[in-house]
Amino acid sequence: EVQLVESGGGLVQAGGSLRLSCAASGFTFDDYSIGWFRQAPGKEREGVSCITNSDGSYTYYADSVKGRFTISSDNAKNTVYLQMNSLKPEDTAVYYCAAALRLGVYYPIEVLYDYWGQGTQVTVSS
């Protein structure tokens, strides 16, 4: 059974940092894509970042987080991380990780992802 479990969310002041973790089980993500998405109240879910390990850990970042967020993976632990620095109040959202169990996924496009975690809340105060 495929499972994704996020952790690391919380409350932080603007300018602060958090590191989110996504622990995967039921598959090895060496050849697949893991994405991070977020959904703010009243807004649609948006793709934030993804990492595709089949191509030398190709990474993608949305413009809104580029230069502030870093995605990485520890294949031995089947865990993907999202390091979030210089956080802004507009980063406040529920953050989800998701797995695309197919090759050739290089963007965090929601319909391409097959399995989802339960989400973790990130709140950035001004």
Side-chain angles (χ1 to χ4, degrees):
E1 180 186 5
V2 173
Q3 284 192 324
L4 300 167
V5 179
E6 303 99 333
S7 61
L11 173 64
V12 65
Q13 288 189 330
S17 298
L18 284 174
R19 189 177 80 157
L20 305 183
S21 299
C22 173
S25 61
F27 72 101
T28 53
F29 52 73
D30 298 49
D31 293 326
Y32 306 119
S33 176
I34 302 293
W36 283 98
F37 297 78
R38 67 185 181 186
Q39 187 166 24
K43 294 188 177 181
E44 293 187 352
R45 188 154 55 186
E46 63 169 338
V48 173
S49 179
C50 69
I51 186 165
T52 302
N53 289 313
S54 60
D55 284 335
S57 293
Y58 168 89
T59 58
Y60 169 88
Y61 299 94
D63 288 344
S64 58
V65 305
K66 199 173 294 183
R68 300 187 297 122
F69 290 11
T70 302
I71 192 170
S72 62
S73 67
D74 185 334
N75 289 3
K77 295 183 178 179
N78 248 28
T79 299
V80 170
Y81 305 97
L82 186 68
Q83 178 66 44
M84 306 186 297
N85 298 329
S86 302
L87 283 162
K88 305 174 181 180
E90 51 263 44
D91 294 318
T92 295
V94 177
Y95 283 71
Y96 301 88
C97 70
L101 301 190
R102 67 192 76 189
L103 299 178
V105 176
Y106 300 106
Y107 300 98
I109 299 173
E110 193 170 336
V111 295
L112 298 179
Y113 286 76
D114 307 289
Y115 296 92
W116 293 78
Q118 81 289 350
T120 185
Q121 177 70 47
V122 171
T123 303
V124 184
S125 64
S126 56

